[in-house]
Amino acid sequence: MKYCARCGSEYQDSVQDCADCPGNPLLVSEAEMRARGLPLPHEMDQRIFVRAATAEDPFTAEAFVEVLQEANIPVLVRAGRSGVVDKLTTGNLLPWWEILVPEDLRARAIPLLEHERVQELETTDEAALAAEEEERESEQASAPPPAP
Ligand SMILES: [Zn+2]
């Protein structure tokens, strides 16, 4: 058996990558899962994973995973659209990702994710501000000179 280090799904040995996760990460062996401190699917109930955050796009999900992996926090990403219920309503829902961490590490994970989210927002804000500024400048350039 092979496993996805992201979402914890189990696959046949012939499968190379995970179909559920953004970026289709390569599957790893059971030994690799253990080396990374990740639970195997049948062990999942021994370690309770809880939601630390959600991401609305694969880039945010990816950024969150990187932050947690850097902090050595095991992380699972569950694609919100791949649930059994969602299969019935496919096409109408925007994809989103649930970031799951072990319950005992959640308190450590949340500030890291908050920090990452703020950074992302700042980047977006700066880009929006720059675009606004540019717009204002081009408006001024095309406006008639002010009356004396
Ligand atoms: Zn996966």
Side-chain angles (χ1 to χ4, degrees), residues 4 6-9 11 18-21 25 77:
C4 174
R6 285 286 158 76
C7 67
S9 294
Y11 285 90
C18 180
D20 285 339
C21 287
V77 178

Side-chain angles (χ1 to χ4, degrees), residues 25-53:
L26 284 175
L27 301 177
V28 300
S29 64
E30 181 180 332
E32 179 68 25
M33 288 290 278
R34 294 206 183 283
R36 294 191 200 184
L38 294 170
L40 301 179
H42 57 270
E43 295 171 344
M44 282 288 279
D45 46 357
Q46 288 173 24
R47 189 161 199 183
I48 302 163
F49 274 69
V50 294
R51 183 196 288 190

Side-chain angles (χ1 to χ4, degrees), residues 111-130:
L112 292 172
L113 295 177
E114 288 296 315
H115 181 74
E116 179 66 23
R117 197 189 287 276
V118 167
Q119 276 190 332
E120 281 220 349
L121 283 178
E122 272 171 7
T123 318
T124 319
D125 277 356
E126 270 165 30
L129 271 183

